[in-house]
Amino acid sequence: MLLGVLLGVAAGAFWGLLYIAPLMVPDYNPVLVALSRYIAFGIVSLPFMYFLRKDLKRFTKADIIESFKLPLFGNVLFYITMAICIRMAGAPLAGMFMAIIPVMVAIASNFRYQKEGRALSWGVITPPLVVIFFGMVIANWSEFQYMTAGAESPLDFWIGVAFGIVAAILWTWFSIMNGEWLLAHPSHNSAAWTALQGVTVLPVVTVAWAVVAWPMGYLDTTEGLFGPEPINFLWVALMLGFVCSWVAMLCWNGMSQRLPSALGGQLIVFESISSVIYAMMFRGEMPTVTLVIGYTILLIGVMGSLYVFRQYTERMAKQSRKAELAAARQKK
């Protein structure tokens, strides 16, 4: 469990860089920056397809389809809808939706576990989730006071709200389904699964980038084919593709093979924590009092959730050993 938690924290730390990447290329549209991330992710994944070819041969046609569907909806469309939410309703609202994703993942996963007879008691799982949610709200309280500041009109704000809801649902779905697939295939190499996810979406995001950049006119080509700062843009895209996609997804997939979705999904809070820390370092600002208090409460909630799931795992392991011993006695 400890290794799984550490991998989840590492993934969040790498994903936190996503939020300062647009600040490094301010002349480029955020949608283009997001799509360039997945193009770079696919290109970086190509060499790994060769080195991991023995592991990749074990994937079925159904696995390949799943490796395309999961990142398309849970990564590409998620970041596009979140970018639209930020553009139309402001970053604070997008931050609120990110705050509720860990809670949504835990609740949705536990409902799925109930069908399989392995759900945790709601009385046990609810308290740490409530603490996590309120920690995120308090941490972002000063931002929420200016919730509508990013919207140009009430209509834009509510359109942004709609896209934010879609984004939260997409990531919740991805976190659960990707985690359950990996738990159901423990013998598969998580690095091979990561590479496959990068390569399968590469053609789609490349075409989407080209359409958005040129026919739709989102790229300023007055100074060159790839915009005003092509070298800087390509370096940022490479960083996003390798660090924030390949390495981060490798960590997340490794975590997903070790932890139940209801717990693993909650570790996305470390993306939010990391993004705030990086943004403040980038701007040279000091954290606010509400931010420090909020994230302290949030971490307490995460620790409480880890304790609950650890107790549950140990209890299930004991019951399994007792069942095995009882079965062995009956055979004798």
Side-chain angles (χ1 to χ4, degrees), residues 178-294:
N178 186 62
E180 289 189 359
W181 190 95
L182 286 162
L183 286 172
H185 300 81
S187 61
H188 280 318
N189 188 327
S190 59
W193 179 243
T194 303
L196 197 60
Q197 288 180 315
V199 171
T200 53
V201 296
L202 178 59
V204 174
V205 293
T206 301
V207 172
W209 192 95
V211 171
V212 170
W214 295 310
M216 293 181 65
Y218 275 55
L219 183 66
D220 180 9
T221 56
T222 56
E223 299 181 44
L225 186 62
F226 289 99
E229 299 180 10
I231 302 299
N232 190 35
F233 177 70
L234 291 174
W235 273 113
V236 170
L238 183 61
M239 178 196 74
L240 292 175
F242 181 67
V243 178
C244 302
S245 294
W246 169 256
V247 179
M249 280 300 296
L250 183 61
C251 292
W252 188 259
N253 287 337
M255 177 275 293
S256 297
Q257 270 189 322
R258 293 168 172 83
L259 300 178
S261 299
L263 174 60
Q266 295 176 51
L267 299 181
I268 195 66
V269 298
F270 289 99
E271 175 184 340
S272 178
I273 294 173
S274 300
S275 66
V276 171
I277 293 172
Y278 297 153
M280 287 190 167
M281 291 173 62
F282 187 83
R283 297 194 300 256
E285 297 178 358
M286 293 295 292
T288 62
V289 174
T290 54
L291 185 72
V292 174
I293 293 174

Side-chain angles (χ1 to χ4, degrees), residues 33-43 71 74-76 78-79 198 201-202 205 241 245:
V33 176
L35 288 172
S36 70
R37 167 196 175 188
Y38 292 105
I39 293 174
F41 177 31
I43 292 172
N75 288 337
V76 179
F78 162 73
Y79 279 107
V201 296
L202 178 59
V205 293
S245 294

Side-chain angles (χ1 to χ4, degrees), residues 82 85 97 100 104 158-170:
M82 186 59 75
C85 174
F97 284 115
I100 65 174
M104 289 173 60
W158 289 111
I159 292 174
V161 169
F163 276 102
I165 292 171
V166 172
I169 292 171
L170 285 171

Side-chain angles (χ1 to χ4, degrees), residues 42-55:
I43 292 172
V44 169
S45 298
L46 286 172
F48 290 97
M49 297 289 285
Y50 174 78
F51 294 114
L52 298 168
R53 59 189 182 279
K54 291 182 179 178
D55 296 297

Side-chain angles (χ1 to χ4, degrees), residues 97 99-111 129 164-173 176 266:
F97 284 115
I100 65 174
I101 287 175
V103 180
M104 289 173 60
V105 170
I107 292 173
S109 296
N110 212 43
F111 272 118
L129 294 181
I165 292 171
V166 172
I169 292 171
L170 285 171
W171 177 257
T172 300
W173 173 84
I176 294 171
Q266 295 176 51

Side-chain angles (χ1 to χ4, degrees), residues 88-165:
M88 302 195 73
L93 182 73
M96 185 186 74
F97 284 115
M98 286 300 298
I100 65 174
I101 287 175
V103 180
M104 289 173 60
V105 170
I107 292 173
S109 296
N110 212 43
F111 272 118
R112 292 175 67 86
Y113 293 166
Q114 282 184 324
K115 298 178 182 178
E116 303 168 9
R118 58 189 182 98
L120 277 74
S121 165
W122 288 108
V124 172
I125 195 176
T126 301
L129 294 181
V130 171
V131 173
I132 289 172
F133 177 73
F134 277 105
M136 290 294 288
V137 170
I138 293 171
N140 293 279
W141 187 254
S142 61
E143 296 294 328
F144 293 156
Q145 295 179 54
Y146 305 98
M147 185 75 79
T148 60
E152 294 182 3
S153 69
L155 178 61
D156 284 350
F157 177 77
W158 289 111
I159 292 174
V161 169
F163 276 102
I165 292 171

